Structures are given as C-alpha cells and as structure tokens.
Amino acid sequence: MLLKGKVAVVTGSTSGIGLGIARSLAKQGASVMLNGLLDPAQAEKLRAEFETEFKTSTTFSPADMSKPQEIQNWIEGILKSHGRIDILVNNAGIQHVAPVEDFSIDKWNSILAINLSSAFHTIHHSLPSMKKNNWGRIINLASVHGLVASANKSAYVAAKHGLIGLTKAVALETATTNITCNAICPGWVLTPLVQAQIDNLAKAQNISLEEAKNRLLSEKQPSKEFVSSEQIGETVNFLCSSAAQQMRGTAINIDGGWLAQ
Ligand code: NAD
C-alpha cells in the first residue's frame, strides 16, 4: 500500500487508460477523485464499486475538461473536502482524424482545450497544495504523438507536443522540491478512443474489424500487440514511488517499439 493516505486526481477516469490508472492508484491505497463524461447513475455505480473493491474514499465529478471554471470548481472542491492533492494525472483526451484543410475549427479548439489546456488549469490550481506539503506527482498522459506525428491528426499531435512542453516547464519550476512532473507516451492502447479509429478504418477500406485492428498495429507498432491500461497504471505507480524521485520532465514511451524505428 505504497500510496495509503494520498489523494489522487485522475481526469477522464471513467474509461480506458484513465480508468486503468485510477484502479492502479486505488490498489496502492490512494483515495481517487474520478472524473469523466458519464451519466450520473453509471458514475455513482463506478464510484461505489471503487469504494467496495479498494476500501478507499472515492469521489466522482462530471467537470468538463474543456471548461476552465468547472476545472477550478472541481479542484477547489477537492482541496476543501480532502485538504490536499498529492497526485495529479492529466489523462482526459479526445481524438479527431481529418486532413488539416478539412479539420473543423470546433474540433481543433476542443482537442486543444481538453488534451492540453485542461492540464494547465489542473496544475495551476493543484500545485499550491503540493508545495505546501513539499510532495507531489504530476503525470501527464501524452502519446507517441507528443514526440512524432502521423498524418491527419494535426490537433492531437499539436496538443500532445504542447503537453510534453508543459511537462518540462513544470518539472523545471518544481526541480528543487519533492514534486515531480513527467509525461507518459503510449502507443496504441485498445480503448474506446482507438476502437473508433478501427471502426472508421474498417468502414473506409471495406475490411473486417479484425483486419483493421491488425492493419493499425502493423503500420506503427512493431510488437503488433496493444499496450494495456494496466501497464500504464503500473508505470504511474512507479512514477509515484521514491525510485522515481529524480525523474523530472521526462517523456516515457510505452509503445511496443513504435519510436525505435
Ligand atoms: P477513452 O476515450 O477511453 O477515455 C477518455 C476519457 O476522457 C473518458 O473517461 C472520457 O469520459 C473523458 N473525457 C473526454 N472528454 C472529456 C471532457 N471534456 N471532460 C472530462 N472528461 C472527458 O480514451 P483513452 O484511449 O483511454 O485515452 C486516455 C488518454 O490517453 C488521452 O489523453 C489519449 O490521448 C491518451 N492516449 C491514448 C492512446 C490510445 O491508444 N488509446 C495512446 C496514446 C495516448
């Protein structure tokens, strides 16, 4: 129970990678503040399941990560109810795939807001509490697309490169404290975000879902296996450990060899 007594905030934790990270943190005893777009009944079910399974206090907030005021209210609410934030995982993210000249301006603005600016807002409001306790872990879910590009993902690639830049700046500003800030850069993880891309590929190329999945993997990920949310969760736990105390401003790729090529 490495994280007993710690309060962990995970944005976008009702699904996919965020949910895997929230579960890993709770397994180590952290109280997890869940967030995401989920109807109230399902959200309450998820929150209650966490409390039953992990025996830690768990909250849920539907704060919309594209809305700075909702982010501020959520973080301030946690500081009021729990008195501290120790671990902040900026995970919420969306994707949209289109050539840059066809890219809708609304989609561009949403991706920048949710995948990049939300991390600025959560850090801005949480850092004073970490500084007061002289301990903290900020972990930003970037992507291999924070380090290299793919065609038709202009907003996502721009946001994720920006998120790695933000990670480095915050790491430098906290370098003489026990607060660290790092980024994790996954390759393909089979979550609803990626399933949507598999569905679109199958439709566009008139191939089966299985074939689309294999094509997606073969194109970029040499292992030809998906990364799992659990593997990312365990990496978050490692970054929370004392072994990672001097890891500052890094971008850790977990990508089945994508970036080795
Ligand atoms: P997902 O679609 O399974 O989950 C996204 C989560 O974000 C959900 O909980 C959703 O409710 C939440 N969310 C979306 N918009 C929100 C908003 N406006 N406000 C609050 N919450 C919101 O996606 P995922 O694949 O688990 O992705 C999680 C993160 O990992 C994203 O930042 C994504 O870019 C990144 N990532 C994913 C992959 C992958 O292959 N799946 C690879 C690299 C990086």
Side-chain angles (χ1 to χ4, degrees):
M1 299 293 262
L2 181 76
L3 302 174
K4 204 164 168 46
K6 302 282 190 214
V7 175
V9 171
V10 187
T11 72
S13 42
T14 55
S15 158
I17 295 171
L19 182 57
I21 292 170
R23 290 181 58 81
S24 293
L25 290 168
K27 231 183 250 173
Q28 289 300 326
S31 296
V32 182
M33 311 293 113
L34 300 168
N35 157 259
L37 305 179
L38 206 57
D39 80 61
Q42 278 181 301
E44 174 49 26
K45 186 165 171 276
L46 180 68
R47 192 201 64 74
E49 279 168 4
F50 259 71
E51 286 201 336
T52 308
E53 185 172 350
F54 301 111
K55 316 244 171 328
T56 59
S57 104
T58 310
T59 66
F60 169 80
S61 162
D64 184 335
M65 291 300 114
S66 68
K67 305 215 166 98
Q69 191 60 56
E70 290 193 21
I71 298 173
Q72 180 174 349
N73 294 346
W74 176 42
I75 298 293
E76 285 179 356
I78 294 167
L79 290 171
K80 220 170 182 183
S81 60
H82 288 71
R84 59 195 296 138
I85 290 174
D86 303 293
I87 298 162
L88 168 64
V89 183
N90 288 304
N91 166 81
I94 57 168
Q95 176 63 288
H96 179 67
V97 181
V100 69
E101 71 272 28
D102 300 333
F103 216 93
S104 106
I105 291 166
D106 281 352
K107 289 279 186 211
W108 171 272
N109 287 334
S110 296
I111 290 179
L112 268 285
I114 296 166
N115 296 19
L116 174 58
S117 300
S118 72
F120 160 75
H121 295 295
T122 55
I123 293 168
H124 177 77
H125 295 297
S126 308
L127 196 52
S129 162
M130 294 181 184
K131 283 193 168 159
K132 201 169 91 195
N133 298 323
N134 192 26
W135 195 91
R137 292 291 188 263
I138 300 168
I139 298 156
N140 297 325
L141 257 292
S143 162
V144 285
H145 286 115
L147 298 162
V148 294
S150 291
N152 301 326
K153 295 186 174 174
S154 53
Y156 190 85
V157 169
K160 296 297 188 181
H161 274 69
L163 189 56
I164 291 180
L166 174 66
T167 302
K168 291 177 184 172
V170 173
L172 291 180
E173 291 182 29
T174 52
T176 58
T177 71
N178 289 321
I179 302 161
T180 69
C181 181
N182 292 286
I184 296 178
C185 301
W188 292 123
V189 187
L190 191 52
T191 66
L193 182 142
V194 165
Q195 188 61 50
Q197 294 174 65
I198 293 170
D199 296 347
N200 290 340
L201 187 70
K203 213 166 160 193
Q205 304 198 354
N206 198 21
I207 53 177
S208 71
L209 285 175
E210 204 48 36
E211 213 175 328
K213 204 190 273 181
N214 290 336
R215 209 169 278 187
L216 197 90
L217 279 173
S218 317
E219 203 190 326
K220 302 273 187 183
Q221 200 147 298
S223 66
K224 297 197 171 86
E225 279 179 29
F226 287 101
V227 177
S228 74
S229 297
E230 290 74 21
Q231 288 161 347
I232 297 173
E234 288 305 309
T235 306
V236 167
N237 282 355
F238 169 70
L239 285 170
C240 290
S241 73
S242 57
Q245 185 60 58
Q246 287 310 324
M247 293 182 70
R248 296 174 186 271
T250 60
I252 305 169
N253 45 309
I254 309 176
D255 63 1
W258 185 320
L259 296 184
Q261 298 166 99

